[in-house]
Amino acid sequence: MTAVLRILLRRVALLVPLMLGIVLFVFLVMRFSDVDPASAFFQGANPTPQQLHDFREEHGLLDPLPVRYAAFVADLLHGDLGTSALTRAPVIDQVTTALPLTLQLTFLGLGIAVVLSLLGGVTAAIYRDRLPDQIIRVVSLTGVAAPGFWLALLMIQYLAVDLGWFPTGGYINPADSFTGWLKTMTLPAFALSLPVAAQLTRIVRTAVVEELDKDYVRTAIGSGLPPRVVVGRNVLRNALINPLTVLGLRVGYLLGGAVVIETIFSLPGMGKLMIDAVKNGDPAVVQGVVLTTAAGFVVVNLVIDILYLLVNPRLRDATT
């Protein structure tokens, strides 16, 4: 068994206690919050104390916490995230409806961030301490300092309201109109991705500069290989190891930032679903969205770990 496979299996094995810990944390936070599931279910109906008691007894809310946690985990294993107090519909149905849009926004933003950071970071490294590098440094510092919601508002004002290039909000399914989908997703994706792109640009620049200063690069160029071949084939592959690690952490920012961005642009994704659930006092939906988002973050980081192992030559070539 190679070292890569052994490390990968260890990462996968760690997902079980990690997910159980996340589920336990969410379970405890929701149980000790001020939101009463029984009162939320009967909101606006003025239930009697007996009705509230019967509801809590029927749904196991009077059981000890360990018993409730075990039942909660068992329900999750069967794909049951609970029932919405507002719509009386299974939470899993609302999550599966909203999740595709959030994934579209997150991965579109991730793709934009990766492309911009590679272009900016590599260019700055090649032209280090010269004008292109100085311009990219200023732009990346500005991007790091600019919050996503502020960028979203600026884009709406200037690109949507003043120039009319994009809609101010709303969503069009790509199956109905790909062009309409692209127009509705461009501003949210850029607002979400630019702060991440700015951070990754600085990391990519540092990693590429360190790699360019190594002896094998000078040797390869001195032997007659074109610099673009050396950079594209060797330098970039080796320099991407550290940025990949940071990229996994930034995915959490993208998923969390989608909550605010979706609300600003009126996108019916997971963020808007959770905001509406909080405003309407629907704890089951809030719980379902948080668990789904956390699970997505864990899975994406596992994928980043796999990519890290694939691009790291020391781990890829190691054997037991």
Side-chain angles (χ1 to χ4, degrees):
M1 180 183 296
T2 65
V4 173
L5 183 58
R6 188 178 69 251
I7 295 173
L8 181 59
L9 290 176
R10 187 161 64 241
R11 295 279 201 281
V12 174
L14 288 174
L15 292 184
V16 177
L18 178 60
M19 285 305 304
L20 287 175
I22 292 173
V23 170
L24 177 61
F25 176 77
V26 174
F27 172 81
L28 292 177
V29 168
M30 295 304 297
R31 294 309 175 275
F32 287 106
S33 68
D34 295 332
V35 179
D36 179 17
S39 300
F41 185 83
F42 288 105
Q43 56 182 324
N46 196 22
T48 64
Q50 184 61 42
Q51 287 177 312
L52 292 173
H53 177 80
D54 292 343
F55 179 89
R56 295 187 182 106
E57 186 174 21
E58 179 183 354
H59 291 83
L61 300 178
L62 301 179
D63 295 335
L65 275 180
V67 176
R68 294 167 62 186
Y69 176 67
F72 180 59
V73 173
D75 289 340
L76 290 179
L77 292 176
H78 289 87
D80 184 4
L81 293 175
T83 302
S84 169
L86 187 64
T87 65
R88 305 295 194 267
V91 174
I92 188 67
D93 293 344
Q94 299 184 50
V95 169
T96 52
T97 300
L99 183 59
L101 189 147
T102 299
L103 292 179
Q104 293 170 27
L105 177 59
T106 300
F107 286 104
L108 186 58
L110 183 64
I112 293 172
V114 169
V115 171
L116 292 179
S117 62
L118 286 177
L119 291 175
V122 173
T123 302
I126 293 175
Y127 295 96
R128 61 176 138 172
D129 298 329
R130 285 180 278 176
L131 183 60
D133 182 25
Q134 295 171 357
I135 293 175
I136 292 173
R137 284 188 194 181
V138 172
V139 173
S140 61
L141 282 173
T142 304
V144 170
F149 72 89
W150 181 73
L151 292 173
L153 295 175
L154 286 181
M155 290 179 180
I156 290 175
Q157 179 61 47
Y158 293 107
L159 299 180
V161 176
D162 293 346
L163 298 176
W165 291 351
F166 301 95
T168 57
Y171 175 73
I172 297 177
N173 194 301
D176 298 330
S177 171
F178 180 78
T179 303
W181 172 81
L182 196 59
K183 285 184 177 181
T184 58
M185 296 295 287
T186 297
L187 292 187
F190 270 96
L192 184 64
S193 65
L194 288 180
V196 177
Q199 296 172 2
L200 287 177
T201 296
R202 296 172 58 79
I203 296 171
V204 169
R205 178 197 178 277
T206 301
V208 174
V209 165
E210 291 177 355
E211 205 67 25
L212 287 173
D213 288 338
K214 292 185 177 179
D215 293 336
Y216 82 88
V217 176
R218 289 190 290 268
T219 302
I221 294 177
S223 64
L225 285 176
R228 64 177 182 276
V229 174
V230 177
V231 172
R233 184 179 299 174
N234 302 107
V235 172
L236 196 57
R237 178 182 296 179
N238 295 332
L240 285 181
I241 295 175
N242 289 334
L244 268 179
T245 306
V246 178
L247 182 63
L249 300 176
R250 293 297 90 195
V251 170
Y253 168 84
L254 292 172
L255 288 171
V259 174
V260 178
I261 298 300
E262 287 174 2
T263 303
I264 293 174
F265 287 94
S266 299
L267 298 174
M270 295 283 281
K272 190 173 184 302
L273 178 63
M274 185 168 69
I275 293 296
D276 291 343
V278 171
K279 290 192 299 184
N280 297 325
D282 201 341
V285 175
V286 175
Q287 180 176 267
V289 171
V290 172
L291 285 174
T292 304
T293 304
F297 176 69
V298 170
V299 171
V300 169
N301 273 272
L302 176 62
V303 174
I304 295 295
D305 283 342
I306 295 174
L307 293 176
Y308 178 83
L309 295 175
L310 291 176
V311 302
N312 191 332
R314 291 184 296 272
L315 291 178
R316 188 176 64 249
D317 298 334
T319 57
T320 55

